[in-house]
Amino acid sequence: MTLTTLVGGVRESRELADGAYIIGRGAACRICFPSPDVSERHALLTVRAGNATIEDLHSANGTYVNGEQIDGATDLDGGKIVQIGECMLRVSEDGAAEEYPEEEEAPAGPPPAAEDEIPPPDPMREIRRDVQEQIQKELLKRMDMKRLTMQGVDREGLEDTAREKIRQIIDGVVANGRLPEGIDPVRLEDDVFNEAMRLGPLEDLLADDSVSEIMVNGPGKVYIERGGKLQLSDCQFTDDASVLSVIERIVAPLGRRIDESQPYVDARLADGSRVNAIIAPLALSGPTITIRKFSKKALTPEDFIRFGTWTHNAAEFMRLCVLLRKNIIVAGGTGSGKTTLLNLLSGYIPHNERIITVEDAAELRLQQPHVVRLEARPPNIEGKGAVTIRDLVKNCLRMRPDRIIVGECRGGESLDMLQAMNTGHDGSLTTVHANSPRDVISRLETMVLMSGMELPSRAIREQIASAVDVIIHESRMSDGSRKVVAITEVTGLEGNQIVMQDIFGFKQSGVGEDGKIAGEFKPTGAMPTWFDQLPGRGIRVDPRMFDPDSDVQVDVERAR
């Protein structure tokens, strides 16, 4: 069989032996398309006895055959054309490759990701941009920002002044008949204001509640995540300088910097959304910004139940663990929702306790009245003055905390966190990047060694087994949904092995016709080792909470 591909106008052919070929942008794929439209493992091409089939591997943007999206294994007989993003391929019998047209017209109904190509310059867009730049220059002439700042005018006052000046300038342009036709003065006012005082083209995306993540890959490409799927937005910046200006506007109020000597930075927006920015010489495609938005309203356990993240009984079990001051680790991959879940768990903490949070960039939004928030500090321009997470964890032990919440353990601070959990600070919470509850243990061992302490492996495992009570593992599924896939109890140490048991777990049963993951989250039948202690703590829990065959919704009750 002969495989012919057409990528960016470049046509290539190769012979295929019988076998299975993973198609994707990952380097390990046998057919590699290095395009942002293509998932790491996008599709599976199978060649057997002169026949070829293709199957989508739950990719982000789908696989199309002759213009129709496929949802199962599809035959490629008759020279059918496969479209994956902007890449096209055809599998034909040996010697028939010349039938593949040089200029293949895209099949009807292209996938959304085909919009990745930057559209040709729009004359109206260019005119609008020129008008906007002229108004911005006039605004700078009329507003003395330094003088207003020296006079003690706050940010709200500066924004009100800027808005009024912009309105006056546009009114003058309209009165003189110099505003080109087709440009809305109200929209123009908002664009100039956002560019001058806020985050420019990103403001509309930040205001859109359906957008959960924003990824600026240079001035010409801004991707967004909506409904768990990536797509290219029509938002664009003028040039690299415009993107750099937005980055400066984000990091400056936090006392952080980004320049050639420190070309990347972690920061946050006013609403707590997480921001990472990286610029040249490290970012070759232009200044890059990644913004992970947080919901404007705090999510509740009922929201998690409605989303299918977990069940009522799992939520009640976690409330029980927090009330009993169990030390909890939330684990998962990037973007799996660890911080959101940590926020939700913190809501179970009684309001009469003193909570101290330690984070790289302050993201947690606790509702309790007695909360002290600590944030790490990067080094200054001389490379001095850095205050690390580990420094803050050590310091907060002297601040009389009832609970310690560390946004994420990623290094030597893990040792200090474990020691805090073992020295009277029960009920502490943190997150860890890991692929399973068992991997959490290995990650903690590795991170403890990163502290520089030459501890034997058994001593580290004893610390972990004694400190950690419960591990919650959350995962981002192939359909974009986020689910708690395991709630695991750490029961102790036997020999050199840490013993664990799953209390709740998610079992996937398949994928629906709409691409949604099908499965069930239910108890495993195991009961926590401390269940018999509950009556002595004045807490009543129906044992049916842990019965996999029971559908009863159990509530945790305190004895009066």
Side-chain angles (χ1 to χ4, degrees), residues 155 199 244-258 265-268:
R155 179 174 182 81
L199 302 183
L244 285 170
S245 175
V246 167
I247 296 174
E248 290 287 354
R249 217 166 290 153
I250 293 172
V251 304
L254 304 177
R256 305 198 174 194
R257 64 187 179 87
I258 186 166
V265 66
D266 287 317
R268 54 182 163 79

Side-chain angles (χ1 to χ4, degrees), residues 47-68:
V47 178
R48 288 275 190 281
N51 295 315
T53 61
I54 193 163
E55 181 178 0
D56 189 77
L57 297 178
H58 309 303
S59 63
N61 297 316
T63 302
Y64 290 70
V65 175
N66 282 0
E68 295 184 2

Side-chain angles (χ1 to χ4, degrees), residues 7 49 119 145 178 187 204 258 280 309 325-326 330 332 350 359 367 374 446 468 478 481 485 522 543:
V7 182
M145 299 288 288
R178 290 159 45 198
R187 176 68 182 180
D204 289 342
I258 186 166
T309 304
R325 302 183 66 87
K326 299 298 180 183
V330 180
E359 302 173 82
Q367 307 302 315
L374 305 180
T446 302
V468 180
S478 59
S481 64
V485 295
K522 59 192 302 184

Side-chain angles (χ1 to χ4, degrees), residues 521-538:
F521 184 84
K522 59 192 302 184
T524 62
M527 297 181 69
T529 54
W530 36 263
F531 183 79
D532 293 339
Q533 304 170 12
L534 296 181
R537 302 287 294 271

Side-chain angles (χ1 to χ4, degrees), residues 317-318 321 437-438 441 468-473 485-494 497-505 522-532 546:
F317 176 72
M318 290 317 307
C321 291
R438 178 61 61 183
I441 305 302
V468 180
D469 296 309
V470 177
I471 297 172
I472 307 177
H473 184 241
V485 295
I487 299 178
T488 304
E489 181 193 12
V490 178
T491 59
L493 186 69
E494 290 185 3
Q497 189 72 22
I498 291 179
V499 181
M500 308 162 69
Q501 64 171 357
D502 289 344
I503 307 297
F504 290 85
K522 59 192 302 184
T524 62
M527 297 181 69
T529 54
W530 36 263
F531 183 79
D532 293 339
F546 308 105

Side-chain angles (χ1 to χ4, degrees), residues 186-438:
V186 177
R187 176 68 182 180
L188 180 62
E189 178 187 327
D190 289 338
D191 288 346
V192 174
F193 176 78
N194 288 335
E195 186 79 27
M197 303 300 296
R198 294 188 177 171
L199 302 183
L202 298 183
E203 283 294 328
D204 289 342
L205 298 179
L206 291 170
D208 187 346
D209 291 337
S210 67
V211 175
S212 57
E213 199 146 358
I214 303 170
M215 291 143 280
V216 181
N217 300 351
K221 291 184 180 179
V222 179
Y223 284 87
I224 59 174
E225 180 186 75
R226 181 179 278 128
K229 300 291 186 180
L230 292 181
Q231 61 188 77
L232 186 69
S233 77
D234 58 1
C235 168
Q236 289 187 12
F237 289 83
T238 310
D239 49 28
D240 286 354
S242 180
V243 184
L244 285 170
S245 175
V246 167
I247 296 174
E248 290 287 354
R249 217 166 290 153
I250 293 172
V251 304
L254 304 177
R256 305 198 174 194
R257 64 187 179 87
I258 186 166
D259 49 42
E260 286 191 6
S261 63
Q262 180 66 44
Y264 55 88
V265 66
D266 287 317
R268 54 182 163 79
L269 301 181
D271 63 357
S273 296
R274 182 186 307 173
V275 180
N276 176 271
I278 184 167
I279 63 173
L282 302 186
L284 303 182
S285 58
T288 301
I289 309 173
T290 307
I291 301 176
R292 182 169 299 163
K293 292 173 58 181
F294 286 163
S295 174
K296 290 184 172 60
K297 73 177 188 71
L299 295 180
T300 64
E302 289 72 27
D303 291 326
F304 271 47
I305 295 169
R306 191 174 70 255
F307 298 153
T309 304
W310 61 12
T311 61
H312 172 86
N313 286 353
E316 283 295 290
F317 176 72
M318 290 317 307
R319 183 164 78 92
L320 176 64
C321 291
V322 174
L323 291 176
L324 293 176
R325 302 183 66 87
K326 299 298 180 183
N327 295 319
I328 300 171
I329 292 180
V330 180
T334 300
S336 60
K338 297 186 298 299
T339 304
T340 302
L341 181 54
L342 190 66
N343 246 327
L344 185 144
L345 293 177
S346 69
Y348 292 137
I349 299 175
H351 282 230
N352 61 349
E353 296 189 15
R354 175 177 170 86
I355 307 168
I356 299 181
T357 67
V358 179
E359 302 173 82
D360 256 337
E363 300 166 351
L364 296 172
R365 293 178 289 177
L366 276 64
Q367 307 302 315
Q368 289 81 353
H370 198 162
V371 178
V372 179
R373 305 173 72 198
L374 305 180
E375 185 177 55
R377 184 178 71 186
N380 60 21
I381 196 169
E382 297 174 351
K384 301 178 181 178
V387 180
T388 65
I389 293 285
R390 189 173 187 190
D391 297 329
L392 294 178
V393 172
K394 289 179 180 177
N395 186 78
C396 76
L397 297 179
R398 306 183 183 97
M399 298 173 66
R400 200 263 178 214
D402 286 315
R403 310 249 188 175
I404 300 172
I405 301 179
V406 178
E408 181 181 342
C409 282
R410 58 167 67 95
E413 66 272 5
S414 301
L415 175 60
D416 302 290
M417 187 70 190
L418 291 174
Q419 289 181 326
M421 290 175 171
N422 275 322
T423 54
H425 299 91
D426 296 330
S428 297
L429 299 93
T430 187
T431 70
V432 169
H433 274 86
N435 294 324
S436 68
R438 178 61 61 183

